Amino acid sequence: MRFPKDFFFGAASAAYQVEGAWNEDGKGISNWDVFSKIPGKTFEGTNGDVAIDHYHRYKEDVKLMAEMGLDSYRFSISWARIIPDGDGEINEKGIEFYNNLIDECLKYGIVPFATLYHWDMPQALEEKGGWTNKKTINAFVKYAKTCFEAFGDRVKHWITFNETIVFCSSGYLTGTHPPGISNDIKKYFTATHNVFTAHAKTVMEYKKLRQYGEIGITHVFSPAFSVDEEEENKFAAYHANQYEIAWYYDPILKGSYPEYVVKQLEEKGWLPDWNEEELKVIKEAADQNGFIGLNYYQPQRVMKNKDLSRSVTRTRENCTGAPGNVSFDGVYRTVKMEDKVYTKWGWEIAPEAFLDGLRNLRDNYGDIKIYITENGLGDADPIIENEVMDVPRIKFIEAHLKAIKNAIREGINLKGYYAWSVIDLLSWLNGYKKQYGFIYVDHKNKLQRKKKLSFYWYKRVIEERGENI
Ligand code: BG6
């Protein structure tokens, strides 16, 4: 079986992780520009000031993508480049950069897939409360509308937010992302609700413009599975899926919040301050939402947490289900299992769980349109005689593409696959040591680009439309 003709073989990146040029051409300062410079916050103090200099080298990078045969490139737009203070004047130079990038993609027939928010927020808004401030909602809608008007003639695929669970939980529970607040559960839920409201209002705004493209959102997809058949552990998995899947997917796809979570938040005083108008727009937008983007790296293996002393010690890794963490409410914990395989960073490699998760998603939400907007292997790639021999990445992606093929065979409505990442880039907290790309960037040699083994492999997969997967 070949993948369907309209299936996108793509790859992805995010503005802060690739662009650099942090203070050039009128760009405003973002929360990450500030946060990454606080001592101890990132691996070896790495930051995105230069990143891999995609801002200046996008032509060379897009040319390489074309050579690889990519159908589509998923990138994100930096809000602070478009509206430096988040809510004021538009920066024409910022518009110009993305116009050029989009045109460069189209020159080679690469379909641009744009994310409006991949975590870098104008610092001026962060200082006023970021996603806990309701004014940020309208500022975001204004920014999104600016992008639709500037790029919507050529960009027909839009993602509002990337991984709400990560930037909200890291920002307000673990304090590992801006604004660096720990254990503020009320703020965490408030931020998520404000993001969903912003998503909903943006979807409605997009529809009003009648640009005839599609708009959706990207979520972490890290389904929880019980470690065994014990009732208490099966319940732990149910609880995890309610808080980490249903809380995020229900408002987007069903237009309402899961009762199980709402009831508990009410009891505990963690319910966001929402109003009727917000709940109404969330309801309306669910019918207009075009697709769901899934970022799948690993599942969660969970069991009941019995060690209450560890209840709130979380690391950033917990957001995507990595083992060894306790949920923010102390109900369950994620564990490493003897019979599973893990990456160097301790993330489980589990393509079967991916397929199982997709089946559950279909059972819960019906025939929704899905893009895999991220999936890939973070590794310290071996270099042998000057060649980047990233065989483990090839194996990883191949196994996940196989799962996707099977899902399509079963009738799951999967329309594209975006490997994370197109090129080696800055990991938010792990610097440059953890690599994901098809293209290597030599930090000791003026950021020179070099094709990895996986580059040639993915090129062939695309040429053959995945027939041999
Ligand atoms: C996803 C993000 O959570 O995971 C990406 O959307 C990120 O931006 C990727 O780079 C991998 O995370 P990490 O921590 O391994 O760099």
Side-chain angles (χ1 to χ4, degrees):
M1 176 192 143
R2 290 183 154 224
F3 281 72
K5 280 205 182 73
D6 61 350
F7 182 92
F8 286 144
F9 281 106
S13 77
Y16 185 73
Q17 298 179 272
V18 294
E19 285 179 6
W22 72 292
N23 59 356
E24 283 180 47
D25 292 340
K27 175 181 165 291
I29 305 294
S30 81
N31 54 353
W32 272 94
D33 292 326
V34 175
F35 187 78
S36 60
K37 286 164 195 152
I38 302 171
K41 292 291 184 194
T42 65
F43 175 72
E44 293 178 346
T46 40
N47 63 52
D49 285 6
V50 178
I52 58 153
D53 201 25
H54 186 61
Y55 188 77
H56 297 112
R57 299 178 196 221
Y58 69 92
K59 284 192 179 173
E60 181 187 348
D61 293 340
V62 174
K63 194 166 177 226
L64 283 163
M65 294 177 211
E67 193 186 325
M68 198 168 19
L70 286 194
D71 295 327
S72 177
Y73 174 38
R74 174 183 174 228
F75 58 89
S76 82
I77 297 173
S78 155
W79 186 347
R81 224 181 260 296
I82 302 290
I83 303 180
D85 67 0
D87 201 14
E89 296 294 303
I90 294 170
N91 174 33
E92 289 304 329
K93 280 277 184 191
I95 302 273
E96 189 184 316
F97 169 68
Y98 293 106
N99 267 332
N100 291 341
L101 176 65
I102 291 161
D103 290 345
E104 200 64 19
C105 288
L106 292 173
K107 183 170 123 188
Y108 296 104
I110 297 173
V111 174
F113 212 120
T115 306
L116 290 163
Y117 189 86
H118 200 128
W119 307 353
D120 48 341
M121 165 184 280
Q123 174 67 9
L125 294 183
E126 188 72 279
E127 283 170 11
K128 290 179 202 141
W131 285 113
T132 61
N133 183 345
K134 290 202 188 279
K135 286 192 180 145
T136 304
I137 299 171
N138 289 341
F140 180 81
V141 178
K142 172 178 156 185
Y143 152 65
K145 200 169 168 219
T146 306
C147 292
F148 300 150
E149 281 165 352
F151 315 124
D153 57 335
R154 288 151 294 147
V155 175
K156 298 295 173 190
H157 307 274
W158 294 93
I159 293 167
T160 51
F161 291 92
N162 179 72
E163 297 189 346
T164 307
I165 194 171
V166 173
F167 66 85
C168 290
S169 66
S170 306
Y172 297 102
L173 291 178
T174 64
T176 49
H177 280 200
I181 294 171
S182 300
N183 300 326
D184 196 325
I185 298 172
K186 172 95 181 180
K187 278 196 176 143
Y188 162 65
F189 282 105
T190 298
T192 60
H193 169 69
N194 289 343
V195 170
F196 301 143
T197 306
H199 163 82
K201 287 190 169 184
T202 303
V203 166
M204 299 314 279
E205 205 57 48
Y206 182 68
K207 290 288 158 178
K208 259 197 247 158
L209 293 173
R210 300 175 81 80
Q211 293 190 334
Y212 302 103
E214 57 175 2
I215 185 160
I217 197 167
T218 276
H219 280 342
V220 165
F221 187 52
S222 188
F225 297 94
S226 171
V227 288
D228 57 24
E229 289 301 311
E230 291 291 324
E231 281 311 315
E232 60 182 20
N233 294 334
K234 284 194 338 206
F235 175 73
Y238 171 78
H239 183 88
N241 284 326
Q242 284 292 310
Y243 275 81
E244 300 213 344
I245 301 270
W247 179 261
Y248 288 87
Y249 289 64
D250 281 17
I252 308 298
L253 300 172
K254 296 184 174 169
S256 58
Y257 288 97
E259 270 172 37
Y260 175 85
V261 182
V262 171
K263 197 162 167 277
Q264 295 189 353
L265 298 191
E266 250 169 352
E267 281 163 14
K268 293 176 175 164
W270 295 335
L271 205 62
D273 304 316
W274 53 37
N275 62 42
E276 283 309 312
E277 186 223 332
E278 291 160 2
L279 296 175
K280 190 166 157 249
V281 72
I282 287 175
K283 179 122 224 110
E284 281 166 5
D287 292 333
Q288 304 297 325
N289 182 73
F291 62 87
I292 187 95
L294 308 182
N295 289 357
Y296 176 79
Y297 288 90
Q298 62 178 328
Q300 320 193 35
R301 307 292 173 184
V302 309
M303 62 191 299
K304 182 182 160 78
N305 174 46
K306 292 179 178 160
D307 178 3
L308 292 178
S309 60
R310 295 180 59 219
S311 67
V312 280
T313 48
R314 277 166 55 110
T315 66
R316 173 256 183 263
E317 309 293 348
N318 192 32
C319 299
T320 46
N325 290 290
V326 174
S327 63
F328 75 91
D329 56 3
V331 172
Y332 66 93
R333 63 193 174 95
T334 56
V335 290
K336 192 164 180 172
M337 295 177 75
E338 285 286 307
D339 61 338
K340 310 287 182 220
V341 184
Y342 295 88
T343 72
K344 286 189 189 116
W345 271 264
W347 292 17
E348 189 187 332
I349 302 177
E352 334 70 47
F354 184 25
L355 184 54
D356 284 343
L358 287 169
R359 288 175 182 141
N360 293 343
L361 203 66
R362 182 192 41 199
D363 293 347
N364 290 335
Y365 298 99
D367 185 31
I368 41 168
K369 182 174 183 181
I370 301 170
Y371 291 99
I372 305 307
T373 40
E374 281 182 35
N375 171 248
L377 175 69
D379 205 356
D381 293 332
I383 302 185
I384 303 167
E385 291 179 0
N386 247 336
E387 295 299 327
V388 187
M389 305 300 279
D390 56 341
V391 177
R393 176 161 304 108
I394 293 174
K395 297 282 166 224
F396 183 100
I397 295 179
E398 186 175 39
H400 288 80
L401 280 174
K402 230 177 232 172
I404 292 174
K405 203 182 224 187
N406 286 331
I408 293 174
R409 275 200 188 107
E410 291 178 19
I412 293 174
N413 192 10
L414 261 157
K415 291 295 185 193
Y417 175 83
Y418 291 78
W420 184 267
S421 49
V422 64
I423 187 167
D424 284 349
L425 39 70
L426 172 70
S427 164
W428 304 87
L429 303 178
N430 290 292
Y432 295 102
K433 220 168 98 183
K434 194 178 187 187
Q435 300 155 317
Y436 281 94
F438 295 116
I439 301 162
Y440 172 78
V441 177
D442 190 347
H443 287 266
K444 293 200 186 93
N445 193 6
K446 299 185 186 140
L447 302 179
Q448 215 179 63
R449 276 58 171 154
K450 190 176 166 68
K451 298 165 207 165
K452 301 185 190 179
L453 197 63
S454 60
F455 179 102
Y456 299 100
W457 172 81
Y458 199 43
K459 179 178 163 67
R460 214 186 53 237
V461 169
I462 300 171
E463 273 164 12
E464 299 170 351
R465 303 293 308 159
E467 191 165 14
N468 293 309
I469 292 282

